[in-house]
Amino acid sequence: MKENFEPTLTFILKAEGGYTVDHAGATQMGVTIRLIRALKLDLDHDGDTDNDDVKLVDADVVRRVFRKEFWDRIGADKLPPGIDLQAADFAYNAGPLAATKILYNNCDPILYRERRIAFYERLCVRDSKKYGKYLRGWTNRAMAAYEAAMKTI
């Protein structure tokens, strides 16, 4: 739902941290070095895309990237309230493909939350060394996204 873009962006900006280097490489506010490179975002205008560009990501960059690469990609404007925020946050966290896979024939906010958590659990079982330490945080985020989504209905 179009009206829920701003509440979703606010949720994401609150949920994401500052600069870190983790399993996704250099990341600032959820924007990874891989995404910076794919989008060719040379934020420091030095002719390349590297960790220095990641460090320059701010709320305005997140807004532009989030709308185009996540919100619009999953068609969140057309999703019902309760699903839009959860699906867009999941897309931002795990990718648009993961978010849309569990969207198929699913317009129930509780079921969406449960499928999202199940996705994280499967990921952690498949590669516990790489992802196991993130399960609790990802589950907490899914629960928080559900709670925030319920406020938009």
Side-chain angles (χ1 to χ4, degrees), residues 1 70-92 95-117 119 122 149:
M1 195 170 149
F70 301 96
W71 181 268
D72 289 348
R73 258 206 199 156
I74 65 163
D77 279 351
K78 296 176 181 156
L79 294 175
I83 296 289
D84 52 2
L85 186 148
Q86 290 189 82
D89 178 59
F90 188 35
Y92 196 74
L97 183 59
T100 54
K101 275 185 178 180
I102 65 172
L103 263 177
Y104 186 73
N105 290 330
N106 178 15
C107 287
D108 177 77
I110 295 171
L111 183 58
Y112 193 90
R113 179 192 68 202
E114 296 308 314
R115 286 182 177 173
R116 179 179 179 176
I117 292 169
F119 171 89
R122 284 189 306 276

Side-chain angles (χ1 to χ4, degrees), residues 7-153:
T8 303
L9 180 63
T10 298
F11 175 83
I12 286 171
L13 289 171
K14 235 185 223 184
E16 291 295 342
Y19 182 80
T20 188
V21 177
D22 60 16
H23 68 280
T27 304
Q28 171 84 315
M29 302 171 80
V31 177
T32 65
I33 183 65
R34 184 175 173 191
L35 183 58
I36 289 274
R37 286 184 174 143
L39 299 175
K40 296 179 173 74
L41 293 178
D42 182 12
L43 299 175
D44 61 5
H45 308 290
D46 67 352
D48 64 5
T49 50
D50 57 19
N51 290 358
D52 293 333
D53 297 295
V54 175
K55 291 175 183 176
L56 294 174
V57 169
D58 60 15
D60 290 332
V61 172
V62 172
R63 172 186 296 280
R64 289 192 322 265
V65 168
F66 172 65
R67 176 169 305 272
K68 182 179 177 199
E69 300 300 322
F70 301 96
W71 181 268
D72 289 348
R73 258 206 199 156
I74 65 163
D77 279 351
K78 296 176 181 156
L79 294 175
I83 296 289
D84 52 2
L85 186 148
Q86 290 189 82
D89 178 59
F90 188 35
Y92 196 74
N93 185 247
L97 183 59
T100 54
K101 275 185 178 180
I102 65 172
L103 263 177
Y104 186 73
N105 290 330
N106 178 15
C107 287
D108 177 77
I110 295 171
L111 183 58
Y112 193 90
R113 179 192 68 202
E114 296 308 314
R115 286 182 177 173
R116 179 179 179 176
I117 292 169
F119 171 89
Y120 291 136
E121 289 170 344
R122 284 189 306 276
L123 184 63
C124 290
V125 165
R126 268 196 320 261
D127 195 343
S128 63
K129 283 187 178 187
K130 185 174 182 180
Y131 298 115
K133 66 183 177 181
Y134 301 109
L135 180 58
R136 186 177 196 168
W138 287 340
T139 300
N140 290 341
R141 182 163 175 166
M143 297 299 287
Y146 170 78
E147 293 298 324
M150 292 301 92
K151 292 176 184 172
T152 67
I153 293 178

